[in-house]
Amino acid sequence: MYDFAYQKPASIADAAKLLADPEAKALAGGMTLIPVLKQRLNKPATVVDLSKLGLAGITVSGGMVAIGAMTTHVTVARSAEVKKAIPALASLAANIGDRAVRYRGTIGGSLANNDPTADYPAAVLALGATIKTNRRSIDADSYFQGMFATALEPGEIITAVEFPVPEKAAYVKFPNPASRYAMVGVFVAKGPKGVRVAVTGAGQNGVHRHTAFEQALTKSWSAAALDGIATPSAGLNSDIHGSAEYRAHLVGVMAKRAVAAAG
Amino acid sequence: MAPPFEGIGASVRRKEDLRFISGHGHYTDDINRPGQVYAYFRRSDRPHAKIVSIDTKEAAAAPGVLAIYTAADLAAIGGLPCGWQIHNKDGSPMAEPKHPVLAEGRVRHVGDPIAVVIAETKQQAKDAAELLAIDFEDLPGVATVTDAVKPGAPQVHDGVANNVCYDWHIGDKAAVDAAFARAAHKVRLDLTNNRLIPNAMEPRAAIGEYDAATGDYTLYTTTQNPHVIRLLMCAFVLQLPEHKVRVVAPDVGGGFGSKIYHYAEEAVVTWAAAKLHRPIKWTAERSESFMSDAHGRDHVTTGELALDKDGKFIGLRVHTYANMGAYLSTFATAVPTYLSATLLAGTYTTPAIYGEVTAVFTNTVPVDAYRGAGRPETAYLIERLVDCAARETGIDRVEIRRRNFIPRSAFPYQTPVALQYDSGDYVATLDVAMKKADWAGFPARRAAAAAKGRLRGIGMSTYIEACGVAPSAVAGALGARAGLYEVANIRFNPTGSVTVFTGTHSHGQGHETTLAQLVTEQLGVPLAQVEVVHGDTAKIPFGMGTYGSRSLAVGGSAMVKAMDKIIAKGKKIAAHLLEADVRDIEFKDGKFTVAGTDKSKTIGEIAFTAYVPHNYPHEELEPGLEETAFYDPKNFTFPGGCHICEVEIDRDTGVVHVVNFTAVDDVGRVVNPMIVEGQVQGGVAQGIGQALLENAAYDASGQLVSGSFMDYTMPRADDLPSFHVATENTMCTHNPLGSKGCGEVGAIGSPPAVINAVVDALRDYGVRHVDMPATPAKIWSIMHAAAPKMAAE
Ligand SMILES: Cc1cc2nc3c(=O)[nH]c(=O)nc-3n(C[C@H](O)[C@H](O)[C@H](O)COP(=O)(O)OP(=O)(O)OC[C@H]3O[C@@H](n4cnc5c(N)ncnc54)[C@H](O)[C@@H]3O)c2cc1C
């Protein structure tokens, strides 16, 4: 770790001012940022801790679940309201990383980072959620822009994520045996925005929608509807844990399991 | 109230656990010496390159930097020694290229240390190390043994032709050729024993210290054998007088072999401490551990088994390419040869055996002994071959084992590959294991799984291993450059408590409890009154440390011998006090009694008398009650047993779930059944890790691809079921305890049982073999490739 200055502002305005410096970096749960700093892969002049901005918390109203950016995974996993409104989201959060990670890691950090194998991006994209920042609202379809790339502008702070409550939804993940991030994760949802299927982990460009599955499920919401629809392996990752062909196959298996789980 | 039974056979709780689980262990990195500074090693990030130049100017000027050393500064220092010399088939010695402490002109693996920066803080050392300007000229690299022996392959060392370190053999080639010529069946299997990274919980660390007033050195280090490190470092590397060097191995958080060896960092911090007159600490970061701790396994083997028409094994021929990595680590050369090929008989009566080993240099981290060291490789080969033979001859896999077992009546059994097994009962461990695993009920479980769409398989291994290393004369004749006896000093204190000084070292195994139980058993001293001291050359006698499951069988035997001497002396003191003839004194349950009378003295009273010798036979006896014994084993010990694994495979994903695991081992006399069970459980977890999860992956040029836990799959608790662990013991016949050793059996017996189960589960797919680790992706591609064929049928 290189030396850096540490700031813990008490207002979003102050945080934004600090983050206007291109050498500054926001700190949420630190589960990604701290290892990156320890490995000296990043050298921020200032680390801006977002934990005093009042960004943690969950509210459910009017068919919308709003989750503050600093809400930890464990809070989402245990929230009775989330469990009731979008059980798939609670169970997704409950299976992120390990217990220590779930106590520290936040939804805002996960989405800002947009790791191509992270779980939350699949929920956000499939549920058609909206990312709220200190400057604007960004819809899911325009938010994710490839691996580790998002629509966030420099210094922009995610404040909350709003999920429309779906009729049915489920997420099934095939964990990478070593890291337990998603090797393939598929989130299926049927809701106000129609049938949406998002795939994380598999693609070289991170989370993406699976239009062939969406069309089939729109016609008939059943696992059997996905029979015979091959997922092309082009553009999928291939590494020591599995080939692109294997990942393509898993996309189908996870999607069917998700549809079955969603009921 | 009778005191609780704490002797041999009691599952007493581990004395050391309170400090370990409450965070009060005292590890090397917990030690801080006055004036301490920090070392950081700049390592190669490339597999193979020429070092054109190293410019230290900018780094040397960085804040806090005290010194920067490269190979040029270490010209007077020797290379890291290899402790076992192997000879080629033609009798010539192996190639033994220098293993420099810091890279000399060339880096040969990712992680090879090039320079060390010593600074006031760790941070400053690391900052400065980044400022070292090193100009490299990349050379082509090679990672696998198969690539390294190809004509035209990159050459790792000048003067080592074709990268071959040695080309060794054992056994009777002509007899094996004859057996194959008359065989009714021949079975051949090519397999890889995957490379593993040990990943002890505590990373390696070392602190070197020098006292300018006395000229004494102290090295605190994470080692399994402090005296061996002192000897190797003083005699071969630094040319220091041994009596001026103290090596301390305090609490050590796991070793699994990786902390046996003498590493560069130990020598550098010791040497530099005297240059700078400051204590110097180095602690590995986890990423450094991945690329600098000796790795394990990495064998590529072809095995051929010849059988007669009745399924009796009549000949075995084996060739192994063993990856040594870039340099020879301390015991690397012994692993594929004397620790592996000498066990090719397995538990079977195969009369003719021929084994060849080609050891090969590659641009990878040095490979050395890792939990099991050579025996897992052989057990895996033999037990996989036997399963293939069963399938290809149509003989049931249990039956073929029974037909070929060395019968209980045949012990001591001389194998065709040097070793003589002293005891064992392979039918007994097999029968007990099959019963515990409900082998007979498997078809019903398989059918039930099939009904749910899952593939279920069962597999076993009936393995043997050799441990309790080692009879020194035998080891010496085979090339060992060290003795392998063990030593214990038993010291009574005047008030009756006992301090045991052992040459073995505990790094998680529970010796502080197990060894104390020996004292309770033999001398009748309550466990709470016994303290086991280990890990400090200034305290303990010159012992050889802990590896090869030797601490009880060899170190415990030394204790028994020392306690025999205590009793013999105690009898003389008792005879004096009780005014009886020494021949009439009996010792039992901590009491010396005049036979046939109620006249007695407790051992505590005798100890007190020995130290306060007012009424004492001074003419014939020295005061004090303290004895030392060295014990050199007469033979190896031969634990063995039967492991049975049951798996279910998810057809859709290829995931293998271990649903049942039974281990029934013969470990000889068991001192603490709970600790034995824990050792077996841990070993089995590592064995399942090897079989299903772990793999040190390099790309073809030698880049380490699985360099962190993000890519290297360590087994986690939820990967494993609860194991059924039991022992079914025959006694070792040549040591006074009858103990064989239990530290490695789990890791030796389990991998073949797992893979045999996986292959069994896939039997409808026409699969004959699956290389480890049997990852989901690998299983899926096997099923995927077979699917069209199956559909066509
Ligand atoms: C061992 C381990 C296992 C894990 N397993 C999984 C897994 O299985 N699945 C999974 O999805 N994730 C996994 N993670 C990731 C983890 O769950 C977190 O989601 C992730 O680390 C980021 O969240 P954080 O709060 O820790 O963010 P930080 O590490 O603090 O920040 C990450 C990045 O986001 C930026 N940032 C943070 N908050 C904001 C904000 N509000 N606005 C703008 N930018 C912001 C930071 O500047 C930084 O660049 C794992 C992590 C670890 C360490």
Side-chain angles (χ1 to χ4, degrees):
Chain A
M1 207 177 276
Y2 298 107
D3 271 350
F4 53 79
Y6 173 80
Q7 297 281 353
K8 197 175 191 176
S11 75
I12 292 183
D14 286 349
K17 221 177 283 160
L18 289 164
L19 286 168
D21 175 2
E23 300 274 280
K25 197 95 186 129
L27 172 70
M31 291 294 93
T32 294
L33 185 60
I34 301 293
V36 163
L37 296 182
K38 280 170 77 176
Q39 290 174 65
R40 301 185 157 209
L41 298 172
N42 206 315
K43 197 176 179 176
T46 312
V47 167
V48 182
D49 188 334
L50 307 182
S51 63
K52 259 176 87 180
L53 306 182
L55 294 180
I58 297 167
T59 47
V60 179
S61 68
M64 197 66 87
V65 175
I67 302 179
M70 288 297 286
T71 311
T72 60
H73 307 329
V74 74
T75 308
V76 174
R78 291 191 182 157
S79 158
E81 288 171 299
V82 176
K83 279 189 199 165
K84 191 155 161 256
I86 319 179
L89 194 59
S91 82
L92 175 149
N95 286 301
I96 293 175
D98 52 47
R99 193 175 290 212
V101 167
R102 291 193 290 274
Y103 269 92
R104 293 287 316 164
T106 66
I107 188 167
S110 177
L111 293 172
N113 192 45
N114 191 23
D115 188 304
T117 61
D119 297 305
Y120 266 132
V124 167
L125 190 58
L127 291 167
T130 303
I131 313 280
K132 299 278 194 186
T133 77
N134 59 333
R135 297 178 195 168
R136 58 189 167 140
S137 293
I138 311 171
D139 69 67
D141 285 304
S142 44
Y143 179 78
F144 299 105
Q145 304 196 342
M147 62 162 147
F148 300 107
T150 69
L152 290 178
E153 293 160 358
E156 190 169 9
I157 301 168
I158 300 179
T159 53
V161 189
E162 286 183 2
F163 294 92
V165 174
E167 195 187 311
K168 292 173 176 196
Y171 177 65
V172 178
K173 155 184 181 178
F174 186 88
N176 174 304
S179 73
R180 302 270 176 105
Y181 274 80
M183 191 143 131
V184 170
V186 179
F187 202 111
V188 299
K190 184 180 188 181
K193 303 208 169 162
V195 169
R196 292 167 65 104
V197 177
V199 178
T200 187
Q204 283 166 8
N205 289 317
V207 70
H208 60 272
R209 287 173 64 181
H210 199 305
T211 42
F213 283 1
E214 289 178 354
Q215 283 160 10
L217 291 172
T218 305
K219 273 191 219 134
S220 156
W221 181 267
S222 69
L226 302 179
D227 280 343
I229 306 178
T231 300
S233 59
L236 300 191
N237 293 315
S238 189
D239 59 23
I240 56 170
H241 303 289
S243 61
E245 291 71 29
Y246 179 54
R247 282 182 167 84
H249 166 78
L250 286 178
V251 169
V253 175
M254 296 302 122
K256 284 186 197 173
R257 288 182 181 177
V259 174
Chain B
M1 206 178 74
F5 174 59
E6 298 173 326
I8 291 180
S11 283
V12 294
R13 292 239 182 124
R14 304 193 344 159
K15 288 159 87 90
E16 47 268 77
D17 280 352
L18 186 61
R19 78 172 189 277
F20 290 156
I21 63 176
S22 63
H24 291 91
H26 199 57
Y27 299 89
T28 300
D29 190 57
D30 294 325
I31 296 169
N32 291 300
R33 304 297 301 157
Q36 175 178 294
V37 295
Y38 296 84
Y40 184 81
F41 287 82
R42 173 80 181 262
R43 297 176 188 279
S44 175
D45 56 359
R46 35 200 100 201
H48 198 187
K50 213 173 121 185
I51 303 172
V52 180
S53 64
I54 305 176
D55 184 347
T56 59
K57 233 180 281 121
E58 203 187 340
V65 172
L66 299 169
I68 296 171
Y69 301 113
T70 65
D73 303 294
L74 305 184
I77 286 183
L80 298 169
C82 176
W84 203 301
Q85 187 180 46
I86 302 295
H87 288 86
N88 293 305
K89 287 174 183 167
D90 65 9
S92 60
M94 66 187 188
E96 208 173 341
K98 186 173 179 188
H99 183 179
V101 170
L102 295 174
E104 289 176 0
R106 212 155 125 190
V107 288
R108 292 188 174 83
H109 68 87
V110 170
D112 208 356
I114 302 165
V116 61
V117 178
I118 295 156
E120 293 287 347
T121 71
K122 204 188 261 190
Q123 187 81 2
Q124 288 170 333
K126 203 169 170 178
D127 287 345
E130 277 180 16
L131 300 175
L132 288 169
I134 306 177
D135 193 8
F136 292 103
E137 193 180 297
D138 279 316
L139 298 168
V142 63
T144 66
V145 287
T146 12
D147 284 346
V149 296
K150 280 184 191 149
Q155 299 292 296
V156 181
H157 292 277
D158 298 335
V160 179
N162 306 318
N163 295 316
V164 173
C165 171
Y166 59 75
D167 182 19
W168 172 93
H169 66 164
I170 191 170
D172 187 339
K173 183 172 188 299
V176 170
D177 288 346
F180 273 85
R182 67 182 170 89
H185 307 279
K186 293 173 208 167
V187 181
R188 178 191 157 122
L189 186 62
D190 297 300
L191 51 75
T192 296
N193 204 288
N194 45 325
R195 177 187 275 248
L196 304 175
I197 300 178
N199 288 315
M201 199 183 294
E202 179 207 20
R204 286 191 299 114
I207 304 171
E209 189 170 0
Y210 177 69
D211 183 335
T214 60
D216 288 339
Y217 292 80
T218 305
L219 168 66
Y220 301 88
T221 183
T222 49
T223 183
Q224 304 177 206
N225 27 248
H227 272 115
V228 174
I229 298 305
R230 192 182 74 174
L231 175 62
L232 295 175
M233 183 172 77
C234 290
F236 296 93
V237 187
L238 299 183
Q239 279 86 41
L240 293 176
E242 266 182 285
H243 67 289
K244 298 300 278 179
V245 178
R246 173 183 172 202
V247 176
V248 184
D251 282 333
V252 173
F256 313 110
S258 71
K259 292 175 182 166
I260 298 172
Y261 323 117
H262 181 34
Y263 286 98
E265 298 86 357
E266 296 170 321
V268 169
V269 295
T270 307
W271 175 84
K275 292 262 169 257
L276 300 175
H277 289 201
R278 300 284 292 272
I280 301 169
K281 178 189 273 190
W282 168 78
T283 305
E285 297 179 358
R286 181 60 67 181
S287 337
E288 280 186 285
S289 304
F290 271 87
M291 55 173 134
S292 73
D293 292 2
H295 291 179
R297 318 279 193 257
D298 204 344
H299 288 184
V300 174
T301 296
T302 299
E304 293 169 277
L305 185 63
L307 298 90
D308 71 10
K309 64 177 189 344
D310 302 319
K312 288 280 281 180
F313 308 155
I314 57 172
L316 175 68
R317 188 189 280 145
V318 175
H319 180 271
T320 289
Y321 286 109
N323 198 337
M324 297 283 106
Y327 306 102
L328 295 180
S329 175
T330 312
F331 289 110
T333 49
V335 174
T337 50
Y338 294 108
L339 297 177
S340 194
T342 49
L343 282 160
L344 284 171
T347 48
Y348 311 108
T349 54
T350 318
I353 298 175
Y354 181 62
E356 293 172 282
V357 179
T358 310
V360 180
F361 290 108
T362 60
N363 295 110
T364 62
V365 173
V367 179
D368 208 324
Y370 167 68
R371 201 169 193 171
R375 294 97 80 203
E377 292 89 325
T378 291
Y380 181 62
L381 169 72
I382 302 296
E383 293 302 307
R384 285 290 304 119
L385 256 182
V386 168
D387 258 36
C388 287
R391 188 160 1 166
E392 282 156 37
T393 57
I395 303 170
D396 175 76
R397 51 203 159 132
V398 181
E399 172 57 25
I400 201 167
R401 287 179 163 87
R402 289 188 192 278
R403 255 182 231 182
N404 286 284
F405 274 157
I406 299 162
R408 187 171 180 151
S409 58
F411 292 98
Y413 178 80
Q414 178 61 51
T415 74
V417 273
L419 296 180
Q420 192 187 74
Y421 303 165
D422 63 331
S423 65
D425 187 342
Y426 310 133
V427 174
T429 43
L430 174 78
D431 285 344
V432 174
M434 286 177 69
K435 208 155 149 220
K436 281 195 184 297
D438 187 24
W439 183 276
F442 175 73
R445 296 195 292 281
R446 181 178 171 102
K452 285 189 252 154
R454 290 189 216 122
L455 301 165
R456 195 161 172 127
I458 194 166
M460 68 162 53
S461 78
T462 49
Y463 74 96
I464 187 166
E465 69 127 328
C467 63
V469 282
S472 297
V474 176
L478 302 179
R481 287 164 166 162
L484 288 161
Y485 65 85
E486 199 39 85
V487 61
N489 171 277
I490 308 280
R491 181 188 297 167
F492 262 93
N493 300 303
T495 49
S497 64
V498 173
T499 310
V500 177
F501 298 88
T502 174
T504 68
H505 185 271
S506 189
H507 26 281
Q509 298 94 332
H511 297 168
E512 290 169 35
T513 307
T514 303
L515 299 185
Q517 285 181 264
L518 300 184
V519 176
T520 299
E521 175 76 26
Q522 195 170 344
L523 300 180
V525 178
L527 203 65
Q529 300 287 311
V530 184
E531 190 69 18
V532 175
V533 175
H534 61 89
D536 184 344
T537 60
K539 294 180 182 169
I540 59 169
F542 196 108
M544 299 306 294
T546 287
Y547 38 81
S549 304
R550 69 194 301 273
S551 299
L552 183 63
V554 190
S557 293
M559 284 176 63
V560 170
K561 297 276 182 198
M563 289 190 284
D564 286 345
K565 294 187 193 175
I566 293 267
I567 293 168
K569 183 167 181 182
K571 279 184 178 172
K572 291 184 189 156
I573 302 171
H576 175 83
L577 292 180
L578 296 168
E579 295 173 345
D581 189 305
V582 69
R583 282 164 299 187
D584 294 334
I585 305 289
E586 290 171 348
F587 180 70
K588 199 169 166 255
D589 298 334
K591 254 195 221 158
F592 294 92
T593 307
V594 182
T597 75
D598 60 358
K599 288 197 333 185
S600 69
K601 290 279 175 198
T602 66
I603 196 159
E605 291 171 298
I606 297 301
F608 186 79
T609 305
Y611 289 103
V612 188
H614 296 166
N615 174 14
Y616 198 81
H618 284 290
E619 312 296 276
E620 45 166 319
L621 271 190
E622 295 168 9
L625 195 56
E626 168 172 352
E627 297 288 352
T628 297
F630 286 76
Y631 176 77
D632 204 289
K634 296 190 187 72
N635 191 356
F636 294 87
T637 59
F638 297 97
C642 178
H643 287 196
I644 296 177
C645 178
E646 209 165 316
V647 299
E648 273 191 8
I649 297 178
D650 180 335
R651 277 176 203 273
D652 294 328
T653 60
V655 171
V656 177
H657 297 279
V658 176
V659 290
N660 247 316
F661 198 99
T662 307
V664 177
D665 301 294
D666 174 355
V667 299
R669 173 104 50 225
V670 170
V671 174
N672 184 318
M674 179 195 72
I675 289 180
V676 169
E677 181 168 347
Q679 287 292 302
V680 175
Q681 297 240 6
V684 169
Q686 278 176 310
I688 293 176
Q690 168 163 34
L692 297 180
L693 306 167
E694 297 182 48
N695 191 40
Y698 278 95
D699 75 6
S701 75
Q703 264 302 337
L704 179 58
V705 183
S706 58
S708 82
F709 290 128
M710 292 298 279
D711 285 303
Y712 187 87
T713 315
M714 285 298 280
R716 295 165 164 93
D718 66 355
D719 289 314
L720 308 164
S722 289
F723 308 140
H724 307 284
V725 172
T727 60
E728 183 67 26
N729 302 307
T730 60
M731 296 304 120
C732 167
T733 60
H734 57 77
N735 71 40
L737 283 165
S739 295
K740 298 182 178 181
C742 67
E744 294 160 290
V745 293
I748 295 167
S750 56
V754 176
I755 296 299
N756 284 342
V758 168
V759 173
D760 184 52
L762 294 173
R763 71 176 120 153
D764 294 343
Y765 289 82
V767 175
R768 185 169 180 265
H769 177 65
V770 178
D771 263 330
M772 301 188 290
T775 59
K778 197 181 284 176
I779 300 290
W780 177 78
S781 37
I782 288 169
M783 292 193 297
H784 186 62
K789 210 173 75 205
M790 288 175 62
E793 274 163 14

